[in-house]
Amino acid sequence: MGGRVEGMTGTPRERAREQTITEIIRIGREHLAAEGAAALSLRAVARDLGVVSSAVYRYVKNRDDLLTLLVVDAYNDLGDEVDEAVVSAGADFIGQYKALARAVRGWGICEPSRYALLFGSPVPGYRAPAERTTGPGTRVIRALVDIVEAAYRAGKIVPGEQREQGALQPVLADDLARIRAELDLSAPEPVVVRGVMVWSALFGAVSFEVFGQYGENTFTDPAGLFEQHLEFHVRLLGLE
Amino acid sequence: MGGRVEGMTGTPRERAREQTITEIIRIGREHLAAEGAAALSLRAVARDLGVVSSAVYRYVKNRDDLLTLLVVDAYNDLGDEVDEAVVSAGADFIGQYKALARAVRGWGICEPSRYALLFGSPVPGYRAPAERTTGPGTRVIRALVDIVEAAYRAGKIVPGEQREQGALQPVLADDLARIRAELDLSAPEPVVVRGVMVWSALFGAVSFEVFGQYGENTFTDPAGLFEQHLEFHVRLLGLE
DNA sequence: TGTACATCAGTGAACGCGCGTTCACTGATGTAC
DNA sequence: TGTACATCAGTGAACGCGCGTTCACTGATGTAC
């Protein structure tokens, strides 16, 4: 969690500053959980920080800036969990994918408000600044792509049926070709596109569960249902 | 849209009342689009209605009640679109599923704030009253289940591989058996579960697009990407 | 090591704003006889 | 058809609340000489 280094770097003042910012983020997380992103208020954070409201402006430019801090913090927290899970899964690609997926689900269930901040409705009036959020925000898909790419190189992805090869829409094929080049992938377009499908299907499954879309008493064992999702994802990816 | 009948039923007073409520819902929709659910305010609605704020309480019990009206209205609007699309698709089950899915996507893109109200982050502090929202809220999944069931009865769903049959987790199998009984389905559990998978995958794909999760310039042709999703869904359902 | 100055965290008051909800009321519309 | 009463929509004031942001300020901590 957190990931912020708290070593003895910098001057005492700098360290105090770092600690205060960490504290602000911690408090912001709590308020997120209690009230949601739209109701996140600098004044409330200041109150919990034990400081007058204007003092927070020493650390945070404005309310949107605080939201950005929380977004980046959440992306990194999720990214850490996912990376760790994948590493712990060993060399088996199916196991790696399942570990990634379970990490996403586990994080989402433990941190529903932060999950909602990242993957739910956009916060009205707030636009995340791409230069600060894109990096952390692409860690999960990056990890997924890495698994698919490694599996492909290891010959562990079954090739699609013949008709699948030619079935890609031309514009989509162009996009995929560009993405392949940018990420320096050797997996061909039909394999990459399966990764995209599974990516959105995975978050669809997690969002349904975290946001309670299945209904109150429809499924008594959400974890079992999720495992079922994973079976389909693995087959869709063609992992073996 | 709307779906509220505006015939000459009831007394003039009753008709005026109906019209005012319709107007309140319309204004609420606009505010939803502009500010999001969390910022929806009775006072602002009253202003746009040209009435003093306390007057709205003649029509709506409180703020949560207004939200419920908007939730039900949105579910029904979406449900109407989906039903209409499926009916227009004719007898082909693949076409019916694609029509359903395209209707969901089209509605989500046209009405992102209402889509977010239904399928995005829960509104903090608000709980939809089940007795008013469950009916309208299950129309899409109901339509999907109907397609799957009809296709199964028509022998248009390819049976899964043998190992798939026994692969269901026991608790999940129990849930599915109960759902089958409740909905009086003849399609067996392994077919029903595919419907659930596709259901969440579909909303995952639409949410990614509506909420901008793919990133700014990743895919130049979202509609083409969505068609690709549909191909996978159709194969996952085993429709033919 | 000691002093003068600069930096910075935090204060407290203020600006102007919006919110949900209650309450006693006025005046128009509807209903029963 | 006419009158007396009931119902209901809408008013306006009030309660108590919270918000983001600015600004001139105090006093402590750090730095250069």
Side-chain angles (χ1 to χ4, degrees):
Chain A
M1 299 262 191
R4 189 169 288 276
V5 182
E6 306 214 44
M8 296 295 270
T9 53
T11 68
R13 226 182 215 173
E14 274 168 349
R15 272 182 283 131
R17 190 160 225 289
E18 279 302 299
Q19 275 176 28
T20 306
I21 288 181
T22 307
E23 186 67 1
I24 286 173
I25 291 174
R26 195 190 57 74
I27 294 169
R29 278 208 290 254
E30 285 178 14
H31 286 241
L32 214 56
E35 327 281 348
L40 184 72
S41 114
L42 283 187
R43 288 189 103 112
V45 168
R47 261 195 307 275
D48 282 17
L49 192 61
V51 119
V52 101
S53 72
S54 52
V56 182
Y57 285 83
R58 293 271 165 219
Y59 301 95
V60 151
K61 225 177 68 213
N62 50 34
R63 203 193 84 113
D64 280 9
D65 195 41
L66 174 58
L67 264 180
T68 301
L69 284 178
L70 291 170
V71 166
V72 170
D73 173 67
Y75 272 132
N76 277 324
D77 207 21
L78 172 62
D80 289 349
E81 298 266 323
V82 164
D83 286 350
E84 205 173 301
V86 171
V87 167
S88 307
D92 169 44
F93 297 113
I94 293 180
Q96 287 183 6
Y97 171 71
K98 288 189 176 179
L100 179 151
R102 290 187 190 122
V104 171
R105 172 174 180 266
W107 189 82
I109 290 174
C110 284
E111 310 270 359
S113 48
R114 297 166 83 196
Y115 181 89
L117 177 65
L118 302 183
F119 303 105
S121 330
V123 180
Y126 169 74
R127 260 187 73 81
E131 67 280 8
R132 291 167 67 188
T133 57
T134 300
T138 51
R139 287 180 59 181
V140 173
I141 178 60
R142 181 76 232 201
L144 176 55
V145 165
D146 285 349
I147 294 172
V148 171
E149 168 74 2
Y152 178 78
R153 291 199 174 186
K156 293 289 192 180
I157 290 198
V158 299
E161 306 147 37
Q162 197 57 39
R163 64 182 171 89
E164 188 184 329
Q165 306 295 328
L168 287 182
Q169 312 245 337
V171 187
L172 179 56
D174 291 348
D175 284 336
L176 291 168
R178 199 197 62 241
I179 292 167
R180 277 190 67 209
E182 282 174 3
L183 300 182
D184 196 27
L185 301 178
S186 57
E189 281 86 355
V191 170
V192 176
V193 82
R194 292 191 221 163
V196 175
M197 306 285 107
V198 165
W199 179 34
S200 85
L202 167 61
F203 280 92
V206 174
S207 291
F208 257 36
E209 189 173 343
V210 173
F211 298 158
Q213 291 292 339
Y214 286 126
E216 293 290 279
N217 304 307
T218 314
F219 294 105
T220 53
D221 180 22
L225 177 62
F226 189 70
E227 291 300 314
Q228 190 66 40
H229 278 285
L230 297 193
E231 294 303 327
F232 277 98
H233 296 170
V234 166
R235 205 173 320 156
L236 202 159
L237 285 173
L239 282 177
E240 64 176 14
Chain B
M1 300 261 191
R4 190 170 285 278
V5 182
E6 304 214 44
M8 295 296 270
T9 53
T11 68
R13 226 181 214 174
E14 274 168 350
R15 271 182 283 132
R17 191 159 223 289
E18 279 301 299
Q19 275 176 28
T20 305
I21 289 182
T22 306
E23 186 68 1
I24 286 173
I25 292 174
R26 195 189 57 75
I27 294 168
R29 278 209 291 254
E30 285 178 13
H31 287 241
L32 213 57
E35 327 281 348
L40 184 73
S41 114
L42 283 187
R43 288 190 104 111
V45 168
R47 260 195 308 276
D48 281 18
L49 192 61
V51 121
V52 101
S53 71
S54 53
V56 181
Y57 286 82
R58 292 271 165 219
Y59 301 95
V60 151
K61 225 176 68 212
N62 51 33
R63 203 194 85 111
D64 279 10
D65 195 40
L66 174 57
L67 265 181
T68 301
L69 283 179
L70 291 170
V71 166
V72 170
D73 173 67
Y75 272 132
N76 277 325
D77 207 20
L78 172 62
D80 289 349
E81 298 266 324
V82 164
D83 286 350
E84 205 174 303
V86 171
V87 167
S88 308
D92 170 44
F93 298 113
I94 294 182
Q96 286 182 7
Y97 171 70
K98 289 189 175 179
L100 177 151
R102 291 188 191 121
V104 172
R105 173 174 180 265
W107 189 83
I109 289 175
C110 284
E111 309 269 358
S113 47
R114 298 166 83 195
Y115 182 88
L117 177 66
L118 302 183
F119 303 105
S121 330
V123 180
Y126 169 73
R127 260 186 72 83
E131 68 278 11
R132 290 168 66 188
T133 57
T134 300
T138 51
R139 288 181 57 182
V140 172
I141 179 60
R142 181 75 232 201
L144 175 55
V145 165
D146 285 349
I147 294 172
V148 171
E149 168 75 1
Y152 178 79
R153 292 199 174 185
K156 292 289 191 178
I157 290 196
V158 299
E161 305 147 38
Q162 197 57 37
R163 64 182 170 88
E164 187 185 331
Q165 306 296 328
L168 287 181
Q169 313 244 338
V171 187
L172 179 57
D174 290 350
D175 285 336
L176 291 167
R178 200 198 59 241
I179 292 166
R180 276 189 68 208
E182 282 174 3
L183 301 181
D184 196 27
L185 302 178
S186 57
E189 282 86 356
V191 169
V192 176
V193 83
R194 293 191 221 164
V196 175
M197 306 285 107
V198 165
W199 180 34
S200 84
L202 167 62
F203 279 93
V206 174
S207 291
F208 258 35
E209 189 173 343
V210 172
F211 297 158
Q213 292 292 339
Y214 286 126
E216 292 289 281
N217 303 305
T218 314
F219 294 105
T220 52
D221 180 23
L225 177 62
F226 189 70
E227 291 301 314
Q228 191 66 41
H229 278 285
L230 297 193
E231 294 303 326
F232 278 97
H233 296 170
V234 166
R235 206 173 319 157
L236 202 158
L237 284 173
L239 282 178
E240 62 174 17

